[in-house]
Amino acid sequence: MIFLLIFFISFLFCQSVLAEESRLEEIVVTATKFEEPKKDVAYSVQVITQEDIKSSTADNAGDLIAEAAIGHVQKYPGLLTSSIGLRGFRTDLFDDLKSRVLVLINGNRAGTVNLATIPVDDIDRIEIVKGPASVLYGSSAMGGVINIITKQGKEEGIHGSIGGQAGSWDFWKTKAELYGKKNNFDFYISASRAEVDDYSAKNYGKIENTGYNDESLSARLGYSFFDKHHISLGFQHWRGWKIGSPGPIYEPDPDDYNNIERNRFDLEYKTSTFKAGYYFTKDRNEYHEGSIAGTWEIPNEVTLKKTTTQGATIQKMFSIDDHRIIIGGQWDRIEVKNSRNTGAPYNPNSKYDSYGVFTEGRLSLFKKKLLLNVGIRYDYFENEILPTEGILSLKPRKENLDHLTVRGGILYKITDSLSIKANAGTAFRAPAPDELAVDYISWGIHYLGNPDLKPEKSKSYDVGFAYTKDFFNAELTFFHSEFKDKILSYYDNTLNAQTFKNVEGATIQGIEGNLSYDIGALAGLNFSLEPFINFTYNTRYSSKDEVEIKEYGKTLTYTPKCTASFGIRAGKEKWDLRLIANYIGDEKVIDWNPLSKNYRKVVDKADFTVVNLKGSYRPIKNLEITLSVENLFDKAYEYVQYYPMPRRTIIGGVKWLF
């Protein structure tokens, strides 16, 4: 860690002569809901650019975000769900409403927590706002928000590509895209189809039931009118079938699988100072259990979960000179329907409505050298457990609650290149319908919600600096969060029921940073040569819950001490290359292997580094050839204990551009 700090400081104050040519000013939208230069944003923002995506070996958003080393990753084989962490808070593996990091698509709820089911083909960029963001986005934005922004037609004329890939584990993929602008119209269309067989893991051999099939279709149509008015309609379809669910290596399951389908529409109208939009997502997850893996399984059982997520947002910006204020409102509804072909579903149906109003102002002083931000939000929630076929004992209930959130930030520009930032704020996660209002008996257990639950809350602050000059970029931030009123599921002997209560949460603090420097430009080379590093280092991540401390110890489980990505990019007009190493530090995990002497005990999971390489070559203007190697050094590694990841994977591709 000391080496990293020295590395940052020495680069920052190095007085070497830099190239005169400058990069285009980076614009971000997620931190304030309106487009503005990243250098004017007081909050910590990390961007995965289109260049990063093109040079990545990732095939879905989960892999792409894991590669960016923004925090903790719990990644399962194939297209099984992945959990992503920011500053010690994580997305939930199964339930969007129980996530403490909010995932968005084009500024609205993604409608899924499984980022592995979001292909990279139509992603333009991903903006990651770190720290409390509930003032603008409401519930779940405790560790921050991950906003996946899709492509739209930007270039005049009609352009496109068609291509294919093939490689290890009988992988193949075909994809095509068409995009452009004509007069006031813009459009983007893409489609893909892929398939992969079971992979092999070092020290384990073939891991059965890790293959999958998937297809995607994405489209966005836009129309510009008057002065900077734009309206657009987007559609996304993704379907995966025979998505293998192999189980842990101590209990392999060769026949369980998922069929998942997600369809999404969104409509947006915007000007330079106004935005309004509506989105609608239907997610269908069908899980098939066979009869081979264990005696506890019910043969040929199919559980079905249908989730409908929809909502609307509106926001207006008012400006006086360089000062401004944003006022907005937001509505989200999540409806869940559950069923099971062999009897009562495991969970009841539910509906969740969230209504929020917010405002955030920015005061600009001393010719925009000092920027002061302050914001406040009010949310009202309606949680309802609905009648559910098969659960005869269910008592439908409805519970409401509200919450107030605040945050503030300051940015001071010491020079045009160097600025310091400081932020403080609160964030929260509202209780889900089952935590508040459930009341039924299943398999002899009474499940009972607690209407007196308070939202989970965090109080956070951070301070850091950002330096950008020509081809050199560096950021370093210290953060500290106090997590309170964590919602815990437990069995209450007095109530004779499985219920919920608020307990003490945790203290989380650390240092995060990123640095990149195009030394090719500095040296006057005719190609770019850019080393880079992103990292998060937790200096403290300790639980405050007495029950958790007694059972598992004070150190938070499933939270690595450090995550980092580092490597080098190189390229020019006809070729480009990127070598990237991802480091996941040691962490405390619970050993769930019943055959282990440490069963249900906390054990140390060792750190690992996996290296990926991708290169592309364009021998002629319209032809691009790519080669990628994942796990370049053929290491044995696993993000989740007992779920080993693939050996060295080689994939080649060819694309025709027009």
Side-chain angles (χ1 to χ4, degrees):
M1 188 62 208
I2 294 175
F3 169 76
L4 289 174
L5 292 174
I6 295 173
F7 186 56
F8 261 76
I9 294 169
S10 63
F11 261 86
L12 178 61
F13 293 102
C14 176
Q15 298 300 313
S16 300
V17 178
L18 298 173
E20 292 183 0
E21 183 182 4
S22 297
R23 287 175 172 170
L24 294 175
E25 190 170 48
E26 189 170 26
I27 304 297
V28 295
V29 65
T30 311
T32 62
K33 283 185 175 280
F34 283 95
E35 293 183 354
E36 65 178 312
K38 186 171 180 283
K39 67 178 184 179
D40 291 342
V41 174
Y43 310 108
S44 180
V45 182
Q46 183 175 338
V47 180
I48 302 175
T49 66
Q50 180 60 206
E51 289 70 27
D52 294 329
I53 296 171
K54 286 180 179 178
S55 61
S56 171
T57 61
D59 199 49
N60 58 68
D63 288 343
L64 194 61
I65 293 171
E67 190 178 78
I70 64 170
H72 177 224
V73 176
Q74 266 191 294
K75 176 175 164 46
Y76 290 83
L79 296 182
L80 295 180
T81 190
S82 300
S83 174
I84 305 295
L86 279 172
R87 294 187 174 181
F89 299 95
R90 298 198 301 268
T91 59
D92 189 79
L93 285 172
F94 307 106
D95 193 337
D96 186 14
L97 292 176
K98 295 178 181 177
S99 292
R100 299 178 183 123
V101 171
L102 184 59
V103 180
L104 310 171
I105 295 178
N106 296 326
N108 298 304
R109 279 187 176 268
T112 180
V113 291
N114 188 358
L115 298 181
T117 66
I118 303 177
V120 300
D121 299 323
D122 72 335
I123 298 177
D124 181 60
R125 69 187 189 277
I126 299 178
E127 295 182 1
I128 301 147
V129 178
K130 303 174 183 178
S134 287
V135 161
L136 293 185
Y137 294 100
S139 181
S140 295
M142 299 177 73
V145 299
I146 298 170
N147 188 17
I148 299 168
I149 300 171
T150 60
K151 294 178 181 177
Q152 66 181 59
K154 296 179 180 178
E155 299 180 34
E156 290 291 338
I158 299 176
H159 310 272
S161 66
I162 184 168
Q165 297 173 287
S168 303
W169 328 125
D170 294 327
F171 169 80
W172 64 265
K173 181 176 183 177
T174 59
K175 55 184 178 181
E177 62 179 356
L178 190 68
Y179 59 91
K181 291 179 68 176
K182 187 69 173 178
N183 298 325
N184 293 343
F185 291 92
D186 59 84
F187 67 94
Y188 176 85
I189 304 171
S190 71
S192 70
R193 167 77 170 89
E195 182 178 317
V196 67
D197 206 347
D198 301 337
Y199 64 71
S200 293
K202 192 166 187 180
N203 301 332
Y204 295 103
K206 185 178 181 180
I207 308 297
E208 294 187 10
N209 201 24
T210 52
Y212 61 85
N213 301 264
D214 77 338
E215 65 182 21
S216 69
L217 174 65
S218 178
R220 179 161 292 277
L221 305 177
Y223 179 71
S224 300
F225 56 101
F226 298 136
D227 182 22
K228 296 183 179 179
H229 290 246
H230 187 264
I231 187 169
S232 64
L233 175 66
F235 169 72
Q236 288 180 307
H237 161 79
W238 185 88
R239 184 171 72 98
W241 63 99
K242 293 290 184 180
I243 301 171
S245 181
I249 58 172
Y250 59 78
E251 192 176 27
D253 201 325
D255 57 357
D256 288 6
Y257 65 92
N258 282 65
N259 292 334
I260 305 173
E261 183 174 356
R262 186 178 64 257
N263 293 289
R264 180 183 179 92
F265 296 88
D266 72 86
L267 178 66
E268 181 186 67
Y269 167 66
K270 66 178 181 179
T271 70
S272 58
T273 61
F274 177 81
K275 283 185 182 180
Y278 170 79
Y279 74 98
F280 181 90
T281 304
K282 289 190 75 72
D283 187 272
R284 186 181 193 276
N285 193 324
E286 184 180 274
Y287 183 62
H288 293 251
E289 284 189 285
S291 56
I292 299 176
T295 56
W296 59 270
E297 285 191 345
I298 299 175
N300 303 315
E301 178 178 290
V302 180
T303 58
L304 178 62
K305 180 180 181 181
K306 296 180 179 179
T307 305
T308 301
T309 307
Q310 61 178 314
T313 59
I314 184 170
Q315 54 248 4
K316 172 67 177 175
M317 179 171 66
F318 300 91
S319 300
I320 303 176
D321 296 325
D322 289 329
H323 315 303
R324 64 119 191 269
I325 185 170
I326 297 170
I327 299 174
Q330 177 182 343
W331 163 68
D332 292 289
R333 170 175 289 176
I334 301 177
E335 295 179 272
V336 180
K337 294 183 178 181
N338 297 284
S339 63
R340 188 162 65 104
N341 70 331
T342 56
Y346 295 110
N347 298 289
N349 299 336
S350 64
K351 185 172 74 170
Y352 160 101
D353 278 289
S354 168
Y355 306 89
V357 291
F358 59 87
T359 182
E360 185 166 65
R362 187 184 74 184
L363 191 64
S364 178
L365 303 172
F366 308 119
K367 297 182 179 180
K368 218 173 179 179
K369 278 187 171 293
L370 178 64
L371 303 176
L372 303 175
N373 295 267
V374 62
I376 188 170
R377 179 187 180 104
Y378 172 78
D379 284 284
Y380 180 78
F381 301 92
E382 295 178 349
N383 292 266
E384 191 171 0
I385 295 297
L386 303 172
T388 306
E389 185 176 355
I391 307 182
L392 301 178
S393 62
L394 181 69
K395 299 177 182 178
R397 278 172 56 192
K398 186 175 182 179
E399 298 289 346
N400 305 328
L401 73 154
D402 60 359
H403 190 69
L404 195 69
T405 316
V406 296
R407 78 170 178 179
I410 181 172
L411 182 147
Y412 180 67
K413 299 177 183 178
I414 299 174
T415 69
D416 289 340
S417 302
L418 177 63
S419 61
I420 56 174
K421 304 178 181 182
N423 300 282
T426 62
F428 73 102
R429 179 185 77 82
D434 66 314
E435 295 170 324
L436 278 175
V438 79
D439 188 354
Y440 72 102
I441 297 173
S442 178
W443 297 81
I445 300 176
H446 185 194
Y447 294 90
L448 184 64
N450 180 359
D452 296 322
L453 278 179
K454 295 179 286 187
E456 295 184 337
K457 294 183 283 291
S458 67
K459 292 182 179 180
S460 305
Y461 67 85
D462 60 60
V463 60
F465 72 80
Y467 182 85
T468 301
K469 185 173 178 61
D470 299 310
F471 293 93
F472 176 64
N473 296 279
E475 288 190 49
L476 188 67
T477 303
F478 170 81
F479 61 88
H480 179 96
S481 296
E482 294 292 337
F483 179 22
K484 297 180 63 178
D485 294 325
K486 182 177 76 172
I487 296 174
L488 175 72
S489 174
Y490 77 107
Y491 191 83
D492 190 306
N493 291 310
T494 303
L495 297 173
N496 291 320
Q498 188 73 26
T499 186
F500 302 89
K501 65 180 178 180
N502 293 108
V503 299
E504 287 295 323
T507 297
I508 307 160
Q509 70 179 32
I511 301 170
E512 62 193 18
N514 60 77
L515 181 149
S516 64
Y517 191 23
D518 193 339
I519 58 178
L522 173 66
L525 303 176
N526 63 353
F527 61 91
S528 65
L529 187 65
E530 183 179 22
F532 63 89
I533 182 171
N534 303 308
F535 73 91
T536 299
Y537 182 85
N538 293 311
T539 58
R540 185 179 178 187
Y541 46 113
S542 53
S543 174
K544 288 178 149 184
D545 176 17
E546 293 181 0
V547 175
E548 186 176 39
I549 292 173
K550 183 177 179 180
E551 188 169 0
Y552 300 123
K554 197 168 185 178
T555 301
L556 290 179
T557 55
Y558 304 101
T559 306
K561 190 173 186 65
C562 179
T563 59
S565 65
F566 49 94
I568 191 164
R569 306 181 188 94
K572 58 186 303 185
E573 183 180 357
K574 284 197 171 186
W575 62 271
D576 54 72
L577 182 72
R578 184 173 78 156
L579 180 73
I580 182 169
N582 280 99
Y583 172 76
I584 307 296
D586 57 280
E587 58 185 304
K588 302 287 186 181
V589 301
I590 302 170
D591 191 341
W592 293 111
N593 182 358
L595 304 178
S596 170
K597 64 180 181 180
N598 296 314
Y599 179 53
R600 297 182 66 91
K601 295 180 180 178
V602 172
V603 297
D604 291 315
K605 181 178 176 296
D607 61 350
F608 67 87
T609 302
V610 60
V611 179
N612 298 332
L613 173 70
K614 184 175 182 180
S616 63
Y617 177 59
R618 294 167 286 278
I620 58 176
K621 181 180 179 181
N622 300 98
L623 180 65
E624 181 177 76
I625 301 169
T626 61
L627 179 68
S628 66
V629 185
E630 300 177 50
N631 193 6
L632 180 65
F633 298 112
D634 198 23
K635 296 290 186 179
Y637 72 103
E638 51 191 22
Y639 288 98
V640 180
Q641 190 180 35
Y642 300 123
Y643 287 87
M645 303 306 289
R647 299 192 64 164
R648 183 187 295 119
T649 301
I650 302 173
I651 296 174
V654 61
K655 181 191 293 186
W656 183 259
L657 304 98
F658 55 89

